[in-house]
Amino acid sequence: MKTKLTDKLATGFFWLIGFLILGILSWFLWYILSAGVPHLTLDFIFGKPEEVKAGGGVGPMLFNSFYILALSLLFSLPFGIGAGIWLAEYAKKNWFTDLVRLSTEMLASVPSIVFGLFGSLLFVTWMGLGFTILGGALTLALLNLPVLVRVTEETLRAVPDSYREASLALGSTKWQMIRKVLIPTSLPGLVTGITLVAGRALGESAILIFTAGVSVSRFAPDFNLFASGETLSVHLWYIRSEALVPDAMSIAEGTAALLIIVVLILNLLIALPSRYLQRKAAGKSS
């Protein structure tokens, strides 16, 4: 009797915590979207910003957000996933691999502003890139790397050893086993890691203030890697701290709502195709 009562109390407590977190998240989204969505017009989303006049848009910042995100993933995904595969499948257990794991865990917990200062010293000053899209993307890639390495390694280690043994018993090489068995099986976990780093990169401001700058090119869209690359999150910070435009609050509310919507859409664009590919692979294997 006492055990059943304890079980019911524990179950009720966890349900309460879940509903509380969901309620806080819902209120947070409603507060931002209800204030910002009315400002989301085509002129605002795709228009150019204004320095002193009202009615400026965020078109170049929106483009820079996706451009820098794509470049950072282009730089970080091959190295992050590759390092995770090496740690999970090839690396022997010794002091060096233990040091690598410890280093990635430590780097994953470093505040982003530290990466921003490091990127400012390395890419902006020492390499002479200045405040550019390339410098911001490279620094974001450094931020993404530790998370991608740890997620990839842990996801691959979660695959049962029987999958490896069955694949190798059928005559496949180790690389064929990784490419055709382990990676498709661990795809949901890998996609979760990519979604996390992509969402974090889209909302990152501290790093990009120090590396990509707080201004945009006169040309939009500008694919020049050495142009200044203010993003939506940096623009939100700038509008609420240093802007001279009379409608700064309206622009900030619209920018915040647009940033939330962009992150939600990005998560769907990454998650839905991965689920389709996973089901397709599962259908072929069955």
Side-chain angles (χ1 to χ4, degrees):
M1 186 69 181
K2 186 178 180 180
T3 304
K4 291 183 178 180
L5 179 61
T6 304
D7 179 68
K8 289 182 179 180
L9 289 175
T11 303
F13 173 75
F14 288 123
W15 274 103
L16 179 63
I17 294 297
F19 280 118
L20 180 62
I21 294 174
L22 185 61
I24 294 174
L25 178 61
S26 300
W27 176 85
F28 178 73
L29 291 175
W30 176 84
Y31 180 81
I32 294 179
L33 294 178
S34 62
V37 167
H39 304 296
L40 296 183
T41 62
L42 290 178
D43 290 335
F44 177 81
I45 296 175
F46 300 107
K48 293 185 177 181
E50 296 287 349
E51 290 296 330
V52 293
K53 296 192 301 182
V58 295
M61 295 80 170
L62 180 62
F63 169 78
N64 287 339
S65 297
F66 282 104
Y67 191 31
I68 291 178
L69 171 64
L71 289 174
S72 67
L73 292 178
L74 180 65
F75 297 143
S76 61
L77 283 179
F79 293 101
I81 295 178
I85 292 174
W86 176 76
L87 284 172
E89 300 300 325
Y90 291 98
K92 297 180 180 180
K93 184 172 178 56
N94 51 41
W95 67 270
F96 178 73
T97 55
D98 291 339
L99 179 62
V100 171
R101 291 189 179 94
L102 179 62
S103 300
T104 55
E105 290 175 357
M106 293 175 61
L107 287 173
S109 61
V110 170
S112 59
I113 193 170
V114 176
F115 281 97
L117 293 172
F118 176 77
S120 178
L121 290 173
L122 177 62
F123 302 119
V124 177
T125 304
W126 187 71
M127 295 183 64
L129 295 179
F131 295 104
T132 58
I133 290 174
L134 180 60
L138 289 172
T139 311
L140 272 182
L142 294 179
L143 178 72
N144 294 340
L145 269 177
V147 178
L148 287 172
V149 172
R150 295 303 295 156
V151 168
T152 302
E153 182 186 3
E154 295 301 325
T155 304
L156 290 176
R157 287 185 178 277
V159 178
D161 289 335
S162 58
Y163 285 42
R164 297 173 174 83
E165 295 168 358
S167 178
L168 294 174
L170 292 174
S172 64
T173 63
K174 190 163 189 176
W175 170 239
Q176 288 175 330
M177 178 263 294
I178 293 172
R179 183 168 57 91
K180 295 185 177 182
V181 177
L182 296 188
I183 291 180
T185 304
S186 59
L187 189 61
L190 294 176
V191 170
T192 299
I194 295 172
T195 304
L196 286 174
V197 298
R200 184 182 182 186
L202 268 180
E204 188 56 56
S205 58
I207 282 180
L208 299 176
I209 290 172
F210 289 103
T211 55
V214 293
S215 60
V216 293
S217 172
R218 293 176 298 172
F219 311 100
D222 192 349
F223 290 92
N224 183 8
L225 294 176
F226 299 99
S228 185
E230 183 185 20
T231 61
L232 282 176
S233 56
V234 174
H235 187 62
L236 178 60
W237 167 83
Y238 175 77
I239 285 292
R240 294 300 296 143
S241 60
E242 301 181 10
L244 301 176
V245 291
D247 58 342
M249 178 58 76
S250 299
I251 295 176
E253 291 173 346
T255 304
L258 181 60
L259 189 58
I260 291 291
I261 293 172
V262 164
V263 171
L264 292 175
I265 293 176
L266 179 67
N267 289 346
L268 290 175
L269 290 177
I270 295 176
L272 292 180
S274 68
R275 291 186 179 181
Y276 169 75
L277 292 175
Q278 184 188 9
R279 290 178 180 177
K280 188 175 180 181
K284 284 184 177 180
S285 62
S286 60

